[in-house]
Structure formats: structure tokens, C-alpha cells
PDB file of all heavy atoms in Angstrom:
ATOM      1  N   LEU A  12     -27.658 -14.666  17.206  1.00 98.00           N
ATOM      2  CA  LEU A  12     -26.199 -14.665  17.214  1.00 98.00           C
ATOM      3  C   LEU A  12     -25.641 -14.756  18.635  1.00 98.00           C
ATOM      4  O   LEU A  12     -24.482 -15.182  18.820  1.00 98.00           O
ATOM      5  CB  LEU A  12     -25.666 -13.410  16.549  1.00 98.00           C
ATOM      6  CG  LEU A  12     -25.873 -13.298  15.049  1.00 98.00           C
ATOM      7  CD1 LEU A  12     -25.583 -11.867  14.599  1.00 98.00           C
ATOM      8  CD2 LEU A  12     -25.011 -14.287  14.297  1.00 98.00           C
ATOM      9  N   ASN A  13     -26.421 -14.393  19.627  1.00 98.00           N
ATOM     10  CA  ASN A  13     -25.938 -14.369  20.978  1.00 98.00           C
ATOM     11  C   ASN A  13     -25.834 -15.774  21.573  1.00 98.00           C
ATOM     12  O   ASN A  13     -26.547 -16.685  21.185  1.00 98.00           O
ATOM     13  CB  ASN A  13     -26.896 -13.526  21.858  1.00 98.00           C
ATOM     14  CG  ASN A  13     -26.345 -13.233  23.211  1.00 98.00           C
ATOM     15  OD1 ASN A  13     -25.156 -13.045  23.397  1.00 98.00           O
ATOM     16  ND2 ASN A  13     -27.235 -13.192  24.213  1.00 98.00           N
ATOM     17  N   SER A  14     -24.914 -15.908  22.535  1.00 97.00           N
ATOM     18  CA  SER A  14     -24.715 -17.213  23.216  1.00 97.00           C
ATOM     19  C   SER A  14     -24.009 -16.962  24.531  1.00 97.00           C
ATOM     20  O   SER A  14     -23.590 -15.835  24.850  1.00 97.00           O
ATOM     21  CB  SER A  14     -23.887 -18.161  22.339  1.00 97.00           C
ATOM     22  OG  SER A  14     -22.554 -17.724  22.278  1.00 97.00           O
ATOM     23  N   LYS A  15     -23.837 -18.029  25.314  1.00 96.00           N
ATOM     24  CA  LYS A  15     -23.127 -17.914  26.580  1.00 96.00           C
ATOM     25  C   LYS A  15     -21.656 -17.608  26.361  1.00 96.00           C
ATOM     26  O   LYS A  15     -20.948 -17.256  27.309  1.00 96.00           O
ATOM     27  CB  LYS A  15     -23.306 -19.208  27.374  1.00 96.00           C
ATOM     28  CG  LYS A  15     -24.713 -19.480  27.840  1.00 96.00           C
ATOM     29  CD  LYS A  15     -24.819 -20.736  28.632  1.00 96.00           C
ATOM     30  CE  LYS A  15     -26.242 -21.007  29.128  1.00 96.00           C
ATOM     31  NZ  LYS A  15     -26.353 -22.247  29.901  1.00 96.00           N
ATOM     32  N   GLN A  16     -21.205 -17.760  25.133  1.00 97.00           N
ATOM     33  CA  GLN A  16     -19.813 -17.425  24.774  1.00 97.00           C
ATOM     34  C   GLN A  16     -19.532 -15.940  24.947  1.00 97.00           C
ATOM     35  O   GLN A  16     -18.417 -15.514  25.160  1.00 97.00           O
ATOM     36  CB  GLN A  16     -19.527 -17.883  23.334  1.00 97.00           C
ATOM     37  CG  GLN A  16     -18.138 -17.545  22.836  1.00 97.00           C
ATOM     38  CD  GLN A  16     -17.995 -17.875  21.354  1.00 97.00           C
ATOM     39  OE1 GLN A  16     -18.975 -18.230  20.687  1.00 97.00           O
ATOM     40  NE2 GLN A  16     -16.795 -17.744  20.836  1.00 97.00           N
ATOM     41  N   VAL A  17     -20.589 -15.134  24.795  1.00 98.00           N
ATOM     42  CA  VAL A  17     -20.487 -13.677  24.801  1.00 98.00           C
ATOM     43  C   VAL A  17     -20.771 -13.110  26.186  1.00 98.00           C
ATOM     44  O   VAL A  17     -21.858 -13.336  26.743  1.00 98.00           O
ATOM     45  CB  VAL A  17     -21.430 -13.022  23.763  1.00 98.00           C
ATOM     46  CG1 VAL A  17     -21.240 -11.512  23.751  1.00 98.00           C
ATOM     47  CG2 VAL A  17     -21.221 -13.631  22.401  1.00 98.00           C
ATOM     48  N   GLN A  18     -19.810 -12.457  26.738  1.00 98.00           N
ATOM     49  CA  GLN A  18     -19.959 -11.812  28.050  1.00 98.00           C
ATOM     50  C   GLN A  18     -20.214 -10.328  27.795  1.00 98.00           C
ATOM     51  O   GLN A  18     -19.287  -9.578  27.423  1.00 98.00           O
ATOM     52  CB  GLN A  18     -18.747 -12.033  28.907  1.00 98.00           C
ATOM     53  CG  GLN A  18     -18.440 -13.490  29.163  1.00 98.00           C
ATOM     54  CD  GLN A  18     -17.125 -13.732  29.876  1.00 98.00           C
ATOM     55  OE1 GLN A  18     -16.415 -12.771  30.245  1.00 98.00           O
ATOM     56  NE2 GLN A  18     -16.766 -15.001  30.072  1.00 98.00           N
ATOM     57  N   TRP A  19     -21.450  -9.886  27.993  1.00 98.00           N
ATOM     58  CA  TRP A  19     -21.805  -8.511  27.701  1.00 98.00           C
ATOM     59  C   TRP A  19     -21.355  -7.573  28.807  1.00 98.00           C
ATOM     60  O   TRP A  19     -21.546  -7.819  29.975  1.00 98.00           O
ATOM     61  CB  TRP A  19     -23.329  -8.407  27.500  1.00 98.00           C
ATOM     62  CG  TRP A  19     -23.804  -9.100  26.250  1.00 98.00           C
ATOM     63  CD1 TRP A  19     -24.119 -10.406  26.135  1.00 98.00           C
ATOM     64  CD2 TRP A  19     -24.004  -8.464  24.978  1.00 98.00           C
ATOM     65  NE1 TRP A  19     -24.511 -10.660  24.840  1.00 98.00           N
ATOM     66  CE2 TRP A  19     -24.478  -9.499  24.111  1.00 98.00           C
ATOM     67  CE3 TRP A  19     -23.862  -7.174  24.486  1.00 98.00           C
ATOM     68  CZ2 TRP A  19     -24.761  -9.272  22.764  1.00 98.00           C
ATOM     69  CZ3 TRP A  19     -24.164  -6.953  23.149  1.00 98.00           C
ATOM     70  CH2 TRP A  19     -24.612  -7.970  22.328  1.00 98.00           C
ATOM     71  N   ARG A  20     -20.723  -6.460  28.416  1.00 98.00           N
ATOM     72  CA  ARG A  20     -20.222  -5.478  29.353  1.00 98.00           C
ATOM     73  C   ARG A  20     -20.683  -4.072  28.939  1.00 98.00           C
ATOM     74  O   ARG A  20     -20.731  -3.743  27.770  1.00 98.00           O
ATOM     75  CB  ARG A  20     -18.689  -5.512  29.370  1.00 98.00           C
ATOM     76  CG  ARG A  20     -18.060  -6.858  29.712  1.00 98.00           C
ATOM     77  CD  ARG A  20     -18.088  -7.122  31.207  1.00 98.00           C
ATOM     78  NE  ARG A  20     -17.362  -8.301  31.575  1.00 98.00           N
ATOM     79  CZ  ARG A  20     -17.907  -9.496  31.791  1.00 98.00           C
ATOM     80  NH1 ARG A  20     -19.197  -9.670  31.691  1.00 98.00           N
ATOM     81  NH2 ARG A  20     -17.130 -10.511  32.156  1.00 98.00           N
ATOM     82  N   TYR A  21     -20.989  -3.287  29.954  1.00 98.00           N
ATOM     83  CA  TYR A  21     -21.365  -1.886  29.684  1.00 98.00           C
ATOM     84  C   TYR A  21     -20.131  -1.025  29.951  1.00 98.00           C
ATOM     85  O   TYR A  21     -19.435  -1.194  30.959  1.00 98.00           O
ATOM     86  CB  TYR A  21     -22.498  -1.425  30.612  1.00 98.00           C
ATOM     87  CG  TYR A  21     -22.767   0.054  30.530  1.00 98.00           C
ATOM     88  CD1 TYR A  21     -23.436   0.593  29.415  1.00 98.00           C
ATOM     89  CD2 TYR A  21     -22.354   0.928  31.553  1.00 98.00           C
ATOM     90  CE1 TYR A  21     -23.660   1.958  29.310  1.00 98.00           C
ATOM     91  CE2 TYR A  21     -22.588   2.284  31.440  1.00 98.00           C
ATOM     92  CZ  TYR A  21     -23.245   2.812  30.335  1.00 98.00           C
ATOM     93  OH  TYR A  21     -23.460   4.141  30.237  1.00 98.00           O
ATOM     94  N   VAL A  22     -19.862  -0.112  29.035  1.00 96.00           N
ATOM     95  CA  VAL A  22     -18.766   0.854  29.228  1.00 96.00           C
ATOM     96  C   VAL A  22     -19.360   2.268  29.038  1.00 96.00           C
ATOM     97  O   VAL A  22     -20.134   2.501  28.097  1.00 96.00           O
ATOM     98  CB  VAL A  22     -17.615   0.595  28.227  1.00 96.00           C
ATOM     99  CG1 VAL A  22     -18.095   0.695  26.778  1.00 96.00           C
ATOM    100  CG2 VAL A  22     -16.473   1.578  28.450  1.00 96.00           C
ATOM    101  N   ARG A  23     -19.024   3.140  29.916  1.00 92.00           N
ATOM    102  CA  ARG A  23     -19.537   4.516  29.807  1.00 92.00           C
ATOM    103  C   ARG A  23     -18.930   5.220  28.583  1.00 92.00           C
ATOM    104  O   ARG A  23     -17.715   5.180  28.359  1.00 92.00           O
ATOM    105  CB  ARG A  23     -19.203   5.299  31.072  1.00 92.00           C
ATOM    106  CG  ARG A  23     -19.796   6.743  31.098  1.00 92.00           C
ATOM    107  CD  ARG A  23     -19.466   7.424  32.393  1.00 92.00           C
ATOM    108  NE  ARG A  23     -20.043   6.735  33.531  1.00 92.00           N
ATOM    109  CZ  ARG A  23     -21.311   6.910  33.930  1.00 92.00           C
ATOM    110  NH1 ARG A  23     -22.124   7.687  33.286  1.00 92.00           N
ATOM    111  NH2 ARG A  23     -21.756   6.241  34.980  1.00 92.00           N
ATOM    112  N   GLY A  24     -19.786   5.807  27.776  1.00 90.00           N
ATOM    113  CA  GLY A  24     -19.324   6.491  26.583  1.00 90.00           C
ATOM    114  C   GLY A  24     -18.622   7.791  26.891  1.00 90.00           C
ATOM    115  O   GLY A  24     -18.912   8.457  27.869  1.00 90.00           O
ATOM    116  N   HIS A  25     -17.679   8.170  26.006  1.00 88.00           N
ATOM    117  CA  HIS A  25     -16.974   9.435  26.103  1.00 88.00           C
ATOM    118  C   HIS A  25     -16.286   9.615  27.467  1.00 88.00           C
ATOM    119  O   HIS A  25     -16.254  10.708  28.037  1.00 88.00           O
ATOM    120  CB  HIS A  25     -17.943  10.608  25.870  1.00 88.00           C
ATOM    121  CG  HIS A  25     -18.752  10.453  24.650  1.00 88.00           C
ATOM    122  ND1 HIS A  25     -18.214  10.480  23.368  1.00 88.00           N
ATOM    123  CD2 HIS A  25     -20.093  10.192  24.478  1.00 88.00           C
ATOM    124  CE1 HIS A  25     -19.182  10.301  22.481  1.00 88.00           C
ATOM    125  NE2 HIS A  25     -20.323  10.107  23.113  1.00 88.00           N
ATOM    126  N   ALA A  26     -15.734   8.510  27.972  1.00 92.00           N
ATOM    127  CA  ALA A  26     -15.058   8.561  29.273  1.00 92.00           C
ATOM    128  C   ALA A  26     -13.570   8.208  29.152  1.00 92.00           C
ATOM    129  O   ALA A  26     -12.923   7.910  30.143  1.00 92.00           O
ATOM    130  CB  ALA A  26     -15.727   7.600  30.256  1.00 92.00           C
ATOM    131  N   GLY A  27     -13.053   8.237  27.923  1.00 93.00           N
ATOM    132  CA  GLY A  27     -11.654   8.001  27.734  1.00 93.00           C
ATOM    133  C   GLY A  27     -11.247   6.573  27.472  1.00 93.00           C
ATOM    134  O   GLY A  27     -10.037   6.300  27.322  1.00 93.00           O
ATOM    135  N   ASN A  28     -12.205   5.632  27.388  1.00 95.00           N
ATOM    136  CA  ASN A  28     -11.876   4.261  27.063  1.00 95.00           C
ATOM    137  C   ASN A  28     -11.446   4.192  25.618  1.00 95.00           C
ATOM    138  O   ASN A  28     -12.198   4.600  24.710  1.00 95.00           O
ATOM    139  CB  ASN A  28     -13.092   3.359  27.308  1.00 95.00           C
ATOM    140  CG  ASN A  28     -12.805   1.912  27.013  1.00 95.00           C
ATOM    141  OD1 ASN A  28     -12.761   1.500  25.841  1.00 95.00           O
ATOM    142  ND2 ASN A  28     -12.595   1.132  28.049  1.00 95.00           N
ATOM    143  N   VAL A  29     -10.249   3.662  25.353  1.00 97.00           N
ATOM    144  CA  VAL A  29      -9.703   3.684  24.002  1.00 97.00           C
ATOM    145  C   VAL A  29     -10.575   2.945  23.005  1.00 97.00           C
ATOM    146  O   VAL A  29     -10.830   3.435  21.887  1.00 97.00           O
ATOM    147  CB  VAL A  29      -8.260   3.061  24.023  1.00 97.00           C
ATOM    148  CG1 VAL A  29      -7.720   2.940  22.613  1.00 97.00           C
ATOM    149  CG2 VAL A  29      -7.335   3.904  24.872  1.00 97.00           C
ATOM    150  N   GLY A  30     -11.016   1.756  23.328  1.00 97.00           N
ATOM    151  CA  GLY A  30     -11.855   0.978  22.421  1.00 97.00           C
ATOM    152  C   GLY A  30     -13.159   1.673  22.112  1.00 97.00           C
ATOM    153  O   GLY A  30     -13.596   1.748  20.950  1.00 97.00           O
ATOM    154  N   ASN A  31     -13.830   2.201  23.125  1.00 97.00           N
ATOM    155  CA  ASN A  31     -15.073   2.891  22.922  1.00 97.00           C
ATOM    156  C   ASN A  31     -14.906   4.158  22.132  1.00 97.00           C
ATOM    157  O   ASN A  31     -15.691   4.475  21.243  1.00 97.00           O
ATOM    158  CB  ASN A  31     -15.699   3.228  24.292  1.00 97.00           C
ATOM    159  CG  ASN A  31     -16.955   4.059  24.189  1.00 97.00           C
ATOM    160  OD1 ASN A  31     -16.919   5.273  24.420  1.00 97.00           O
ATOM    161  ND2 ASN A  31     -18.056   3.458  23.824  1.00 97.00           N
ATOM    162  N   GLU A  32     -13.856   4.918  22.410  1.00 97.00           N
ATOM    163  CA  GLU A  32     -13.605   6.166  21.690  1.00 97.00           C
ATOM    164  C   GLU A  32     -13.338   5.898  20.229  1.00 97.00           C
ATOM    165  O   GLU A  32     -13.778   6.634  19.349  1.00 97.00           O
ATOM    166  CB  GLU A  32     -12.438   6.925  22.324  1.00 97.00           C
ATOM    167  CG  GLU A  32     -12.688   7.422  23.746  1.00 97.00           C
ATOM    168  CD  GLU A  32     -13.705   8.534  23.805  1.00 97.00           C
ATOM    169  OE1 GLU A  32     -14.090   9.101  22.765  1.00 97.00           O
ATOM    170  OE2 GLU A  32     -14.141   8.871  24.950  1.00 97.00           O
ATOM    171  N   ARG A  33     -12.611   4.822  19.926  1.00 98.00           N
ATOM    172  CA  ARG A  33     -12.316   4.483  18.528  1.00 98.00           C
ATOM    173  C   ARG A  33     -13.574   4.084  17.806  1.00 98.00           C
ATOM    174  O   ARG A  33     -13.788   4.528  16.658  1.00 98.00           O
ATOM    175  CB  ARG A  33     -11.268   3.375  18.460  1.00 98.00           C
ATOM    176  CG  ARG A  33     -10.940   2.921  17.060  1.00 98.00           C
ATOM    177  CD  ARG A  33     -10.461   4.040  16.180  1.00 98.00           C
ATOM    178  NE  ARG A  33     -10.241   3.594  14.810  1.00 98.00           N
ATOM    179  CZ  ARG A  33     -10.173   4.385  13.749  1.00 98.00           C
ATOM    180  NH1 ARG A  33     -10.367   5.710  13.867  1.00 98.00           N
ATOM    181  NH2 ARG A  33      -9.950   3.881  12.549  1.00 98.00           N
ATOM    182  N   CYS A  34     -14.424   3.317  18.437  1.00 98.00           N
ATOM    183  CA  CYS A  34     -15.712   2.944  17.806  1.00 98.00           C
ATOM    184  C   CYS A  34     -16.549   4.175  17.509  1.00 98.00           C
ATOM    185  O   CYS A  34     -17.182   4.280  16.492  1.00 98.00           O
ATOM    186  CB  CYS A  34     -16.468   2.004  18.715  1.00 98.00           C
ATOM    187  SG  CYS A  34     -15.887   0.324  18.792  1.00 98.00           S
ATOM    188  N   ASP A  35     -16.532   5.097  18.483  1.00 97.00           N
ATOM    189  CA  ASP A  35     -17.318   6.333  18.311  1.00 97.00           C
ATOM    190  C   ASP A  35     -16.790   7.142  17.130  1.00 97.00           C
ATOM    191  O   ASP A  35     -17.570   7.671  16.321  1.00 97.00           O
ATOM    192  CB  ASP A  35     -17.230   7.168  19.596  1.00 97.00           C
ATOM    193  CG  ASP A  35     -17.991   8.462  19.479  1.00 97.00           C
ATOM    194  OD1 ASP A  35     -19.234   8.424  19.507  1.00 97.00           O
ATOM    195  OD2 ASP A  35     -17.334   9.538  19.410  1.00 97.00           O
ATOM    196  N   THR A  36     -15.489   7.183  16.960  1.00 97.00           N
ATOM    197  CA  THR A  36     -14.900   7.927  15.831  1.00 97.00           C
ATOM    198  C   THR A  36     -15.315   7.304  14.511  1.00 97.00           C
ATOM    199  O   THR A  36     -15.681   8.018  13.546  1.00 97.00           O
ATOM    200  CB  THR A  36     -13.368   7.900  15.948  1.00 97.00           C
ATOM    201  OG1 THR A  36     -12.962   8.579  17.125  1.00 97.00           O
ATOM    202  CG2 THR A  36     -12.730   8.566  14.730  1.00 97.00           C
ATOM    203  N   ILE A  37     -15.294   5.979  14.444  1.00 97.00           N
ATOM    204  CA  ILE A  37     -15.710   5.291  13.215  1.00 97.00           C
ATOM    205  C   ILE A  37     -17.173   5.517  12.917  1.00 97.00           C
ATOM    206  O   ILE A  37     -17.582   5.862  11.801  1.00 97.00           O
ATOM    207  CB  ILE A  37     -15.430   3.786  13.328  1.00 97.00           C
ATOM    208  CG1 ILE A  37     -13.913   3.525  13.412  1.00 97.00           C
ATOM    209  CG2 ILE A  37     -16.008   3.011  12.125  1.00 97.00           C
ATOM    210  CD1 ILE A  37     -13.557   2.078  13.785  1.00 97.00           C
ATOM    211  N   ALA A  38     -17.996   5.344  13.932  1.00 97.00           N
ATOM    212  CA  ALA A  38     -19.438   5.471  13.751  1.00 97.00           C
ATOM    213  C   ALA A  38     -19.830   6.892  13.348  1.00 97.00           C
ATOM    214  O   ALA A  38     -20.651   7.101  12.428  1.00 97.00           O
ATOM    215  CB  ALA A  38     -20.169   5.101  15.053  1.00 97.00           C
ATOM    216  N   ARG A  39     -19.251   7.886  13.994  1.00 97.00           N
ATOM    217  CA  ARG A  39     -19.554   9.269  13.672  1.00 97.00           C
ATOM    218  C   ARG A  39     -19.139   9.632  12.259  1.00 97.00           C
ATOM    219  O   ARG A  39     -19.830  10.360  11.512  1.00 97.00           O
ATOM    220  CB  ARG A  39     -18.934  10.198  14.706  1.00 97.00           C
ATOM    221  CG  ARG A  39     -19.608  10.203  16.046  1.00 97.00           C
ATOM    222  CD  ARG A  39     -19.014  11.212  16.999  1.00 97.00           C
ATOM    223  NE  ARG A  39     -19.702  11.214  18.278  1.00 97.00           N
ATOM    224  CZ  ARG A  39     -20.809  11.869  18.521  1.00 97.00           C
ATOM    225  NH1 ARG A  39     -21.384  12.599  17.536  1.00 97.00           N
ATOM    226  NH2 ARG A  39     -21.429  11.829  19.695  1.00 97.00           N
ATOM    227  N   ALA A  40     -17.977   9.149  11.867  1.00 97.00           N
ATOM    228  CA  ALA A  40     -17.529   9.407  10.507  1.00 97.00           C
ATOM    229  C   ALA A  40     -18.500   8.891   9.472  1.00 97.00           C
ATOM    230  O   ALA A  40     -18.899   9.606   8.511  1.00 97.00           O
ATOM    231  CB  ALA A  40     -16.156   8.767  10.266  1.00 97.00           C
ATOM    232  N   PHE A  41     -18.940   7.677   9.628  1.00 97.00           N
ATOM    233  CA  PHE A  41     -19.909   7.074   8.689  1.00 97.00           C
ATOM    234  C   PHE A  41     -21.221   7.832   8.716  1.00 97.00           C
ATOM    235  O   PHE A  41     -21.855   8.033   7.694  1.00 97.00           O
ATOM    236  CB  PHE A  41     -20.142   5.613   8.994  1.00 97.00           C
ATOM    237  CG  PHE A  41     -19.183   4.672   8.352  1.00 97.00           C
ATOM    238  CD1 PHE A  41     -18.290   3.908   9.132  1.00 97.00           C
ATOM    239  CD2 PHE A  41     -19.104   4.552   6.972  1.00 97.00           C
ATOM    240  CE1 PHE A  41     -17.399   3.034   8.534  1.00 97.00           C
ATOM    241  CE2 PHE A  41     -18.210   3.685   6.381  1.00 97.00           C
ATOM    242  CZ  PHE A  41     -17.378   2.917   7.140  1.00 97.00           C
ATOM    243  N   SER A  42     -21.676   8.292   9.902  1.00 97.00           N
ATOM    244  CA  SER A  42     -22.927   8.989  10.009  1.00 97.00           C
ATOM    245  C   SER A  42     -22.890  10.338   9.286  1.00 97.00           C
ATOM    246  O   SER A  42     -23.925  10.874   8.853  1.00 97.00           O
ATOM    247  CB  SER A  42     -23.306   9.206  11.462  1.00 97.00           C
ATOM    248  OG  SER A  42     -22.507  10.207  12.083  1.00 97.00           O
ATOM    249  N   LEU A  43     -21.668  10.882   9.123  1.00 96.00           N
ATOM    250  CA  LEU A  43     -21.484  12.133   8.439  1.00 96.00           C
ATOM    251  C   LEU A  43     -21.154  11.986   6.969  1.00 96.00           C
ATOM    252  O   LEU A  43     -20.786  12.932   6.298  1.00 96.00           O
ATOM    253  CB  LEU A  43     -20.394  12.956   9.154  1.00 96.00           C
ATOM    254  CG  LEU A  43     -20.676  13.374  10.589  1.00 96.00           C
ATOM    255  CD1 LEU A  43     -19.447  14.019  11.209  1.00 96.00           C
ATOM    256  CD2 LEU A  43     -21.884  14.324  10.642  1.00 96.00           C
ATOM    257  N   GLY A  44     -21.247  10.751   6.462  1.00 95.00           N
ATOM    258  CA  GLY A  44     -20.997  10.475   5.039  1.00 95.00           C
ATOM    259  C   GLY A  44     -19.524  10.401   4.699  1.00 95.00           C
ATOM    260  O   GLY A  44     -19.164  10.464   3.519  1.00 95.00           O
ATOM    261  N   LYS A  45     -18.679  10.267   5.705  1.00 95.00           N
ATOM    262  CA  LYS A  45     -17.258  10.174   5.438  1.00 95.00           C
ATOM    263  C   LYS A  45     -16.852   8.690   5.351  1.00 95.00           C
ATOM    264  O   LYS A  45     -17.583   7.810   5.754  1.00 95.00           O
ATOM    265  CB  LYS A  45     -16.458  10.862   6.546  1.00 95.00           C
ATOM    266  CG  LYS A  45     -16.762  12.353   6.652  1.00 95.00           C
ATOM    267  CD  LYS A  45     -15.991  12.998   7.796  1.00 95.00           C
ATOM    268  CE  LYS A  45     -16.311  14.480   7.934  1.00 95.00           C
ATOM    269  NZ  LYS A  45     -15.583  15.123   9.068  1.00 95.00           N
ATOM    270  N   VAL A  46     -15.647   8.445   4.860  1.00 91.00           N
ATOM    271  CA  VAL A  46     -15.103   7.088   4.737  1.00 91.00           C
ATOM    272  C   VAL A  46     -13.884   6.977   5.637  1.00 91.00           C
ATOM    273  O   VAL A  46     -12.785   7.352   5.221  1.00 91.00           O
ATOM    274  CB  VAL A  46     -14.754   6.748   3.266  1.00 91.00           C
ATOM    275  CG1 VAL A  46     -14.303   5.293   3.172  1.00 91.00           C
ATOM    276  CG2 VAL A  46     -15.916   7.037   2.350  1.00 91.00           C
ATOM    277  N   PRO A  47     -14.046   6.491   6.857  1.00 95.00           N
ATOM    278  CA  PRO A  47     -12.882   6.392   7.766  1.00 95.00           C
ATOM    279  C   PRO A  47     -11.901   5.324   7.352  1.00 95.00           C
ATOM    280  O   PRO A  47     -12.272   4.340   6.694  1.00 95.00           O
ATOM    281  CB  PRO A  47     -13.521   6.072   9.114  1.00 95.00           C
ATOM    282  CG  PRO A  47     -14.767   5.312   8.740  1.00 95.00           C
ATOM    283  CD  PRO A  47     -15.255   5.961   7.473  1.00 95.00           C
TER     284      PRO A  47
END
């Protein structure tokens, strides 16, 4: 699926980045059996 179209970026987790924090909330909810 990867291509030159995709520019991969690293973002530090739990550092206040809105996009990263939202993904973490969704992922954790699913891991706990919840439906976000």
C-alpha cells in the first residue's frame, strides 16, 4: 500500500498533539471492549 505519495512522519505520543491524542483515545477504547 505504501508509495512515494505517502510522507511518513514520527510524532511523539502523549505530548499534546491533537491528532495523535484522538487516535490514542479511539485505539484505547477499542482495546477495552468499548465502542467509541
Side-chain angles (χ1 to χ4, degrees):
L12 291 167
N13 190 34
S14 71
K15 293 181 179 179
Q16 178 187 6
V17 182
Q18 300 172 3
W19 292 85
R20 302 281 189 261
Y21 172 75
V22 59
R23 184 178 297 277
H25 310 292
N28 180 283
V29 174
N31 174 258
E32 295 291 348
R33 177 57 183 160
C34 285
D35 179 72
T36 297
I37 295 171
R39 287 185 178 277
F41 274 115
S42 73
L43 296 173
K45 299 178 182 179
V46 184

